[in-house]
Amino acid sequence: MKLRFLIFLIVSTAFAFLLAKHDVTHVGIETSRYSTVESVLERGTFAIDDSIFSTPDKCERNGHYYGDKPPLLTFVAIAWGRVLKCFGVRYLKGDYFRAVYLTGVLVFVLSCLTGWFFYVGLRQRPRMPEPYRIAMSVLSVASTLVLSYSVTLNNHTPCAAAVMGLVLMLERCESDGLTRLRALLAGVMTGLILDLEFVAGGVLGIAVFVFVLTSAAPRRIENALMYALGAGLLILAGAGMNMVSYGSPLPLYLFTHKPSFVEKNYLTYAFNILFGFEGFFLYMPALLFAGFACASPRMRLDRVFVYMMASTAAAVLLFIAGTSDFGGWCYGYRFLIPFAPVLLYYAAVYFGRPRPRLKRWKLFRLALLWGVLTSVVGVMNPWNAGYEGSSTPENALPNHFKNGFLANAFVFCWQTSPHSALTQFFMDRVYGREYAMLYLMMELNNRNDYTGLRRLAEELREQEPDDAAETAEADAPGAAEDKAAANL
């Protein structure tokens, strides 16, 4: 296993250097964390008032602004930044690209731990071919949105790795017996997930507590107390990081993000985050095959499986009830990403049994292939401009760009071949030329692609020499670069 893990590290690091981003989009999920990291490393303060990264995701406290994201990943990035600083890589104007890139490399490798835990779990399943185990472990990243988001600084993909680690830990508790040490470690893991993702950590924390309390192992009360101790230590660690950052144990996220229970059609919203334009299963249809596992009497005898499926269902219901922005400017419904590998894991376990039904296996492979395609398209920009539901003003441009897959594909087609038949199809038949041009301006600016903005300005000059050229010049090289100079 040591040799396999070494190979995993080498391969994942190689892909990290190949795919990690060199720049940051204007979306607050990235800029909120980077603004804090840059402020701490370059000015010694968690206040982001003077940061080179401008972000909408911030909260005012005691006359200063602070990033409002959960602090754990930010502290990891700060520690990594201090290591980089020792080698001369700093978050300075005009020189922050290397720091962003190398931070992305770290996040990518951490995210790929999802695949390693996936493989270790399948290794414990008897009579499963080794090539199948390896292929499914690779696809746990490559065929899910874990790949799409792992190229940037985000909390969803490291959380996915932590959730898969929790699955392994619980399976060990079931196979080898639940001890006080294992209960403590399970609590630490759920506390770690809570520090990364509040909803995922909340539902898993409660589910695993019940799992420990109802275990057949002796001393259940002691085990439950040890579990609560482990989770409590990580919760206190999160509160301590908040205190160090801005002097309060409460997460700023609670003040800037409120649940949305009104003014939405629950059925329509649920459909669109699961199957519609930002559909979780639209992008990763292979996850639906976990339904076969749920229908299997043999699988339902697995307590870990039952509790993980129940936690996933609870998270889905909470996100349906409490959100209305489709995840904001993002590619697919990002909030459920930590549970994607879990669903694929149990689908892989079901289809890895001896003599699976051939027709179902063929459909499963096709679904995995589609997941690879959507995930690769997502790598182009997981934080693409688009529809935000209740957060999008009426008649705003993002109302016309709801599907992240099509939006990314359109921008890619325009960047690689602006006059191709497919690009013209997007412009004329899918979006309309006027909306398409405006969206290109918005998305190229979001990506800080000033070369693309100049190309777009030239294209507009050719089409409308007078008015369009003036608009493009105002929006592209001048205004966009001035804005970039202010931000950087």
Side-chain angles (χ1 to χ4, degrees):
M1 289 295 284
K2 291 182 179 179
L3 178 60
R4 290 187 178 93
F5 185 68
L6 179 61
I7 294 172
F8 157 77
L9 283 180
I10 293 173
V11 173
S12 60
T13 303
F15 274 97
F17 279 105
L18 178 66
L19 298 176
K21 301 294 185 183
H22 291 79
D23 206 347
V24 180
T25 65
H26 294 174
V27 179
I29 294 93
E30 283 192 287
T31 53
S32 182
R33 291 186 172 93
Y34 274 117
S35 62
T36 303
V37 173
E38 186 266 340
S39 295
V40 171
L41 293 176
E42 300 302 334
R43 283 177 297 284
T45 177
F46 282 87
I48 63 173
D49 305 317
D50 300 319
S51 176
I52 63 174
F53 298 96
S54 177
T55 180
D57 288 2
K58 58 188 177 182
C59 183
E60 185 177 8
R61 187 174 180 85
N62 299 324
H64 296 283
Y65 282 104
Y66 298 89
D68 65 356
K69 301 305 173 189
L72 177 59
L73 191 64
T74 304
F75 271 70
V76 171
I78 290 170
W80 179 243
R82 292 195 186 281
V83 173
L84 296 179
K85 198 172 182 179
C86 294
F87 294 91
V89 179
R90 300 180 63 180
Y91 285 89
L92 298 173
K93 290 183 179 181
D95 192 41
Y96 79 98
F97 299 102
R98 286 184 298 163
V100 169
Y101 174 64
L102 292 173
T103 301
V105 168
L106 174 67
V107 175
F108 190 95
V109 174
L110 292 176
S111 304
C112 285
L113 286 173
T114 301
W116 174 252
F117 293 142
F118 203 100
Y119 174 74
V120 174
L122 293 184
R123 285 270 298 178
Q124 298 171 2
R125 306 283 174 167
R127 296 183 296 174
M128 188 178 290
E130 185 69 4
Y132 177 81
R133 292 190 182 111
I134 295 173
M136 291 307 303
S137 301
V138 172
L139 290 170
S140 69
V141 176
S143 186
T144 66
L145 294 185
V146 172
L147 175 64
S148 301
Y149 282 84
S150 61
V151 298
T152 67
L153 181 60
N154 79 100
N155 57 313
H156 305 305
T157 55
C159 186
V163 172
M164 279 306 304
L166 177 64
V167 171
L168 289 186
M169 192 172 296
L170 296 181
E171 288 183 345
R172 181 62 60 86
C173 291
E174 282 292 279
S175 61
D176 299 341
L178 180 63
T179 63
R180 283 175 288 185
L181 177 59
R182 288 177 182 147
L184 177 69
L185 293 176
V188 169
M189 187 62 75
T190 54
L192 175 66
I193 295 170
L194 181 67
D195 286 342
L196 289 168
E197 293 260 12
F198 294 138
V199 173
V203 296
L204 287 170
I206 295 171
V208 177
F209 179 77
V210 176
F211 175 90
V212 171
L213 198 59
T214 58
S215 171
R219 300 175 179 174
R220 287 181 293 180
I221 300 300
E222 291 183 17
N223 290 336
L225 290 175
M226 291 299 290
Y227 169 81
L229 174 62
L233 289 174
L234 267 291
I235 293 172
L236 288 175
M241 286 184 279
N242 290 329
M243 284 292 297
V244 170
S245 300
Y246 44 82
S248 171
L250 296 177
L252 292 180
Y253 197 83
L254 298 178
F255 300 99
T256 57
H257 293 74
K258 305 293 183 182
S260 177
F261 300 110
V262 296
E263 296 183 2
K264 69 178 181 180
N265 185 315
Y266 282 88
L267 292 179
T268 301
Y269 186 74
F271 174 78
N272 282 318
I273 66 173
L274 297 178
F275 303 99
F277 54 79
E278 289 286 43
F280 185 65
F281 296 113
L282 172 67
Y283 287 81
M284 300 171 288
L287 307 187
L288 287 171
F289 287 84
F292 287 110
C294 293
S296 169
R298 176 179 61 89
M299 295 291 293
R300 291 201 298 269
L301 295 176
D302 184 344
R303 281 206 330 138
V304 179
F305 167 75
V306 171
Y307 277 87
M308 292 306 299
M309 290 297 101
S311 299
T312 302
V316 170
L317 292 175
L318 284 173
F319 282 123
I320 290 173
T323 65
S324 64
D325 65 349
F326 300 95
W329 277 18
C330 63
Y331 183 80
Y333 193 67
R334 62 187 174 89
F335 294 136
L336 290 172
I337 288 174
F339 296 97
V342 174
L343 293 174
L344 189 60
Y345 176 71
Y346 287 114
V349 170
Y350 176 82
F351 283 105
R353 63 182 181 170
R355 296 181 181 178
R357 294 185 181 180
L358 190 59
K359 290 184 179 179
R360 293 176 182 175
W361 172 234
K362 283 183 177 179
L363 290 174
F364 185 48
R365 284 187 291 181
L366 288 173
L368 288 169
L369 182 61
W370 174 252
V372 172
L373 175 62
T374 57
S375 299
V376 170
V377 171
V379 168
M380 298 172 190
N381 184 18
W383 307 112
N384 56 318
Y387 182 61
E388 296 182 87
S390 61
S391 301
T392 303
E394 190 175 353
N395 298 322
L397 178 64
N399 286 307
H400 300 273
F401 294 83
K402 297 183 178 183
N403 184 272
F405 175 81
L406 289 179
N408 266 10
F410 166 53
V411 176
F412 173 76
C413 289
W414 183 85
Q415 288 177 321
T416 55
S417 183
H419 302 295
S420 68
L422 184 55
T423 302
Q424 299 309 308
F425 175 79
F426 273 116
M427 286 189 166
D428 296 327
R429 301 295 184 182
V430 178
Y431 297 120
R433 186 162 294 271
E434 181 181 358
Y435 287 130
M437 288 293 189
L438 290 172
Y439 183 77
L440 282 172
M441 289 182 188
M442 175 185 285
E443 181 57 16
L444 292 171
N445 184 62
N446 177 40
R447 302 183 188 193
N448 298 314
D449 184 359
Y450 305 118
T451 301
L453 283 166
R454 291 190 187 96
R455 284 178 53 202
L456 182 61
E458 293 172 1
E459 187 173 326
L460 287 172
R461 281 195 196 95
E462 293 175 2
Q463 293 181 2
E464 297 183 27
D466 300 321
D467 297 338
E470 293 177 6
T471 303
E473 287 175 355
D475 286 332
E481 289 179 350
D482 290 343
K483 181 178 180 181
N487 290 339
L488 303 178

